[in-house]
Amino acid sequence: MRFPPLSFVPVLLLLLTLRWGLFTEAMINPVDFLALQAIRKSLDDLPGSNFFDSWDFTGDPCTFAGVYCDGDNVTALNLGDPRSGSPGLSGRIDPAIGKLYALTELTIVPGRIMGSLPDTISHATNLRFLAVTRNFISGAIPASLGELRGLRTLDLSYNQLTGSIPPSIGSLPELSSLILCHNHLNGSLPRFLSQTLTRIDLKRNNLTGAVSPTSLPPSLQYLSLAWNQLTGPVNQVLLGLNQLSYLDLSLNRFTGAIPGQIFGFPITNLQLQRNFFYGAVQPANQVNIATVDLSFNRFSGEISPLLSSVQNLYLNNNRFTGQVPVTFVDRLLASGIQTLYLQHNFLTGIQISPAADIPVSSSLCLQYNCMVPPVQTPCPVKAGPQKTRPTTQCNEWRG
């Protein structure tokens, strides 16, 4: 057996030492290393994506695209190319993701990831931010997510989730943003206990039942429950939400009156379309809202002149009666109102001259009321061709 020359041995030892030193310096926690390998095996780039090109496990995993480390632990995992229009990933989320115990942030870009959300995610107890949006995640929301006591943002929007919203989600003490819109969730709203919760977006689901006055915290600034099947009154609910800046309750089955006090809020957008509210809308103060959309409901009574301060006002397709307040005409002609839609009501008059010069920047629609519109203005196509409501309908409603 031949041995290398003695002069070669120190060089060989030096090379081995350097190689071993570099390897150990690059090695992360072995548990995290194996978890990343399992995650990589369960996911693939969609055609046109090269996100996983840098995931070469002979190198340092902390240099992989989307992997962020603190010491020898993975603390953030952003899977997929975040640039707009990127193809995203396919496959399933491996349960090994729960073994990244130091993980504080997990995001997955839009793509074609299927299957359920693993229960094991709850093992990453340091998680603060969880966003898996615009994929094909199905099944129920794991109730075990309620064990993530430090979770602040939960965004599972635009998936195919079913079942109800677990009460454990509502009990998360530090939750500030909950976005579950565009899924197939059903059942009623749980009670949300977090006093730091500022955003709830649950639109376009199949939620049912009444909204309890105690279910929503007063810290809410953004609330969207549109396109569900929620029922019952909302007056007591809205009275407790005095920090709202956005409210959308459209396309539900709510009943009862709208409390005038909500119009005292500095709401920038208010949408209550296509519900079943009864009773007149009577604002308590001048309305400081840029856009108010109360269309496609069953509001009745006279229109309050306090609404004339709104820039874009949609009161169409309701049961309003009486004269249009003269303050609306003054504001319209002064370009203070940009949109005033009053079509499809039971209004009986408006004090405006047929020769009035309505600013080009303003839109007025009066057709299909219990009057002949004194001015001819363009209306939306959906308003239909009829200018006035049949006299029989007006008489019946008046009676």
Side-chain angles (χ1 to χ4, degrees):
M1 181 176 182
R2 299 182 61 186
F3 293 91
L6 291 177
S7 59
F8 180 74
V9 173
V11 178
L12 181 61
L13 289 174
L14 178 62
L15 291 173
L16 290 173
T17 302
L18 288 174
R19 182 173 181 180
W20 177 253
L22 290 173
F23 179 74
T24 55
E25 192 174 75
M27 178 60 71
I28 63 171
N29 183 320
V31 175
D32 288 19
F33 185 88
L34 293 175
L36 289 176
Q37 281 190 323
I39 292 167
R40 173 63 186 93
K41 290 178 181 178
S42 66
L43 296 172
D44 288 299
D45 282 308
L46 284 172
S49 172
N50 57 359
F51 174 77
F52 281 123
D53 283 1
S54 66
W55 282 49
D56 180 359
F57 285 93
T58 62
D60 180 6
C62 292
T63 64
F64 292 177
V67 178
Y68 302 89
C69 301
D70 184 5
D72 61 350
N73 293 115
V74 177
T75 56
L77 190 59
N78 306 138
L79 295 173
D81 188 342
R83 291 177 296 183
S84 178
S86 62
L89 308 175
S90 64
R92 297 174 181 270
I93 303 174
D94 194 278
I97 203 162
K99 293 183 179 180
L100 299 174
Y101 299 117
L103 199 65
T104 61
E105 177 181 327
L106 172 61
T107 64
I108 300 180
V109 302
R112 299 190 62 83
I113 296 177
M114 302 183 180
S116 60
L117 202 64
D119 286 329
T120 54
I121 288 181
S122 62
H123 298 168
T125 55
N126 292 307
L127 207 58
R128 301 288 184 271
F129 187 96
L130 174 57
V132 184
T133 66
R134 296 182 184 272
N135 277 278
F136 293 84
I137 304 298
S138 58
I141 298 174
S144 59
L145 293 184
E147 299 172 16
L148 301 173
R149 307 306 288 173
L151 191 65
R152 296 173 184 171
T153 296
L154 177 59
D155 186 353
L156 304 176
S157 58
Y158 294 88
N159 281 290
Q160 297 181 1
L161 294 167
T162 55
S164 60
I165 302 173
S168 59
I169 299 297
S171 67
L172 290 169
E174 296 189 27
L175 191 65
S176 62
S177 183
L178 178 66
I179 307 173
L180 302 176
C181 60
H182 291 263
N183 278 287
H184 306 293
L185 299 171
N186 55 38
S188 58
L189 262 66
R191 184 182 179 187
F192 295 99
L193 302 180
S194 172
Q195 296 304 305
T196 60
L197 187 58
T198 59
R199 182 186 182 98
I200 293 180
D201 190 347
L202 303 176
K203 65 178 173 284
R204 287 188 178 267
N205 279 287
N206 300 312
L207 300 173
T208 57
V211 181
S212 169
T214 61
S215 62
L216 301 175
S219 56
L220 274 183
Q221 298 175 17
Y222 182 106
L223 175 62
S224 179
L225 302 176
W227 290 82
N228 281 286
Q229 301 176 41
L230 296 166
T231 57
V234 295
N235 53 343
Q236 294 301 316
V237 177
L238 297 179
L239 285 174
L241 304 179
N242 55 10
Q243 296 187 43
L244 283 177
S245 59
Y246 182 93
L247 174 64
D248 186 355
L249 304 181
S250 60
L251 290 141
N252 276 285
R253 299 176 182 178
F254 291 119
T255 58
I258 297 294
Q261 291 91 330
I262 70 168
F263 292 106
F265 298 169
I267 299 178
T268 55
N269 288 283
L270 173 67
Q271 298 181 349
L272 304 172
Q273 309 173 335
R274 293 182 185 266
N275 285 293
F276 295 90
F277 292 108
Y278 297 88
V281 178
Q282 299 178 348
N285 301 297
Q286 196 74 13
V287 181
N288 299 317
I289 308 174
T291 300
V292 174
D293 191 342
L294 304 177
S295 61
F296 293 95
N297 282 285
R298 296 186 181 183
F299 288 115
S300 59
E302 296 187 354
I303 299 173
S304 171
L306 296 177
L307 288 170
S308 62
S309 60
V310 178
Q311 294 180 6
N312 299 285
L313 182 61
Y314 302 87
L315 300 179
N316 53 288
N317 296 80
N318 277 287
R319 296 178 177 180
F320 290 113
T321 56
Q323 295 270 329
V324 178
V326 67
T327 51
F328 281 89
V329 178
D330 295 339
R331 291 265 300 160
L332 181 72
L333 297 180
S335 300
I337 296 179
Q338 296 178 0
T339 306
L340 181 58
Y341 281 179
L342 302 174
Q343 68 270 21
H344 286 259
N345 279 286
F346 293 82
L347 300 170
T348 53
I350 180 172
Q351 296 181 26
I352 186 172
S353 169
D357 185 14
I358 298 176
V360 177
S361 61
S362 300
S363 298
L364 171 66
C365 184
L366 296 170
Q367 69 186 52
Y368 210 72
N369 277 285
C370 297
M371 63 175 174
V372 177
V375 289
Q376 300 300 317
T377 55
C379 287
V381 175
K382 291 184 179 179
Q386 292 179 280
K387 297 298 181 183
T388 61
R389 185 179 289 274
T391 304
T392 53
Q393 291 185 16
C394 295
N395 291 337
E396 289 175 1
W397 182 248
R398 190 176 297 113

